[in-house]
Amino acid sequence: MTAAPVRPAPPVPARRVPERHPRSHRERRSRRRGWLLTAGLTAVAIVIVFPLYWMVVSALTPGGQSQSSEFYLWPSAPTTANFTEVFATQPVWRWLGNSFLVASVGTALSVCVSLGAGYALAKFRFRGRGLLYALFLVTIMIPIQVTLVPAFLVVARLGLVDSPWAVILPTLFDVVGIFIARQFMLGVPDALIEAARLDGAGELRTFFRVVLPSCGPLVGVLVILGFMNRWNDFLWPLVVLQGNESLTVPVGLSTLTSNPAFSSPWGAVMAVATVAVVPLLVVFLVFQRTFVQGIASTGVK
């Protein structure tokens, strides 16, 4: 009796796996959010940069067109007459030199004071440290108008009125700089300082060889903030500087608006302001990387 032939089982049809579209709903939504975020940041950047752009446009606009009510984004006949006129009739270069002297020397001395005070408040333990630090912070809430007259009397008795030191010396004690320096130095490991002391290093050597090399981002923050504040300071230089040759740029700009020698005072003001912005941009571009690192590190600590 022969066995019946075994028939092979019919093949099972393979289940088709639906192909996943590369752009799913989540990816499209994420892409849409990215475009919206880019558009929003672009709009914010335009709003921030537009005053600088309009300052340059006003500086290059002839006097008659700058005072007209006609709206324009670029002058029909750009000219450098505003720059030539104001630099020929006013001591603008002297104003720029005074501002650079006050800002650079004041910033350098203030950074040294802030680093030393921040290091002492962060790493030294002494009686009354908390009370002293609290008093430092309280002075931030005191407006400059309250201390304006006493500070002027002190400067006048020292014989420093109408000199750059009248602007530099009262601003050496920067409470905001000391606060930032203390917050940053709290993150410096105490073990490094103790190891340096055990090796026989003094306090100054420990500070300059161990602590200061790690404070590059902090120095960048202090330099940018200090230079910007001193370069843009107006009220205190207005009080203590009297001669036209000893003025700083912000005070000198205030004298141009009422000067009858200019056919277009706002064109002259914008011309000087355009030149005065350049040092700030240079300082920021030089220290921008350490500035961001310092702000981030101070915020974490």
Side-chain angles (χ1 to χ4, degrees):
M1 195 175 167
T2 61
V6 179
R7 294 182 179 180
V12 179
R15 182 179 299 178
R16 296 185 62 185
V17 179
E19 295 183 0
R20 187 178 181 181
H21 199 273
R23 293 186 178 180
S24 62
H25 178 67
R26 181 179 299 179
E27 292 174 349
R28 289 196 301 269
R29 185 171 57 183
S30 177
R31 193 179 187 87
R32 191 181 303 115
R33 288 180 178 177
W35 282 109
L36 292 176
L37 180 60
T38 302
L41 293 177
T42 303
V44 173
I46 292 174
V47 172
I48 294 175
V49 176
F50 186 77
L52 295 176
Y53 169 78
W54 190 252
M55 177 182 65
V56 177
V57 169
S58 300
L60 297 175
T61 302
Q65 186 178 359
S66 63
Q67 297 179 356
S68 65
S69 58
E70 179 185 359
F71 178 77
Y72 58 92
L73 292 177
W74 188 255
S76 57
T79 178
T80 59
N82 293 323
F83 292 89
T84 305
E85 184 179 11
V86 70
F87 276 85
T89 58
Q90 299 296 322
V92 179
W93 292 115
R94 187 66 181 269
W95 296 347
L96 292 171
N98 294 335
S99 292
F100 186 78
L101 175 64
V102 169
S104 58
V105 176
T107 301
L109 296 177
S110 178
V111 168
C112 295
V113 172
S114 298
L115 290 175
Y119 175 66
L121 291 173
K123 297 303 180 182
F124 285 89
R125 299 185 180 275
F126 53 90
R127 182 177 299 179
R129 183 182 66 170
L131 178 61
L132 181 62
Y133 182 61
L135 292 176
F136 283 172
L137 297 182
V138 168
T139 59
I140 299 178
M141 297 180 289
I142 300 177
I144 188 176
Q145 291 81 2
V146 176
T147 60
L148 200 63
V149 174
F152 178 79
L153 293 177
V154 172
V155 171
R157 291 186 179 182
L158 293 175
L160 299 176
V161 176
D162 202 26
S163 69
W165 292 106
V167 184
I168 295 173
L169 293 179
T171 60
L172 294 184
F173 182 79
D174 188 0
V175 182
V176 176
I178 293 175
F179 170 77
I180 295 175
R182 176 187 177 273
Q183 294 301 110
F184 186 91
M185 290 186 180
L186 286 176
V188 177
D190 295 335
L192 294 178
I193 301 175
E194 294 297 332
R197 291 171 180 171
L198 290 177
D199 289 340
E203 294 299 333
L204 290 178
R205 187 175 181 181
T206 301
F207 176 75
F208 285 105
R209 293 295 183 90
V210 177
V211 179
L212 193 59
S214 63
C215 295
L218 172 62
V219 173
V221 172
L222 296 179
V223 167
I224 289 181
L225 295 181
F227 191 91
M228 181 183 64
N229 291 333
R230 287 164 179 80
W231 185 270
N232 296 328
D233 192 13
F234 173 77
L235 183 57
W236 179 244
L238 177 66
V239 173
V240 297
L241 300 179
Q242 300 174 356
N244 192 34
E245 295 286 336
S246 59
L247 299 180
T248 56
V249 172
V251 183
L253 284 174
S254 66
T255 64
L256 298 179
T257 56
S258 59
N259 195 326
F262 299 108
S263 59
S264 174
W266 290 114
V269 170
M270 293 303 174
V272 178
T274 301
V275 178
V277 168
V278 175
L280 293 177
L281 295 178
V282 171
V283 171
F284 181 77
L285 292 177
V286 171
F287 293 95
Q288 63 172 339
R289 181 173 300 178
T290 56
F291 177 78
V292 176
Q293 294 175 356
I295 289 295
S297 302
T298 304
V300 172
K301 296 177 179 64

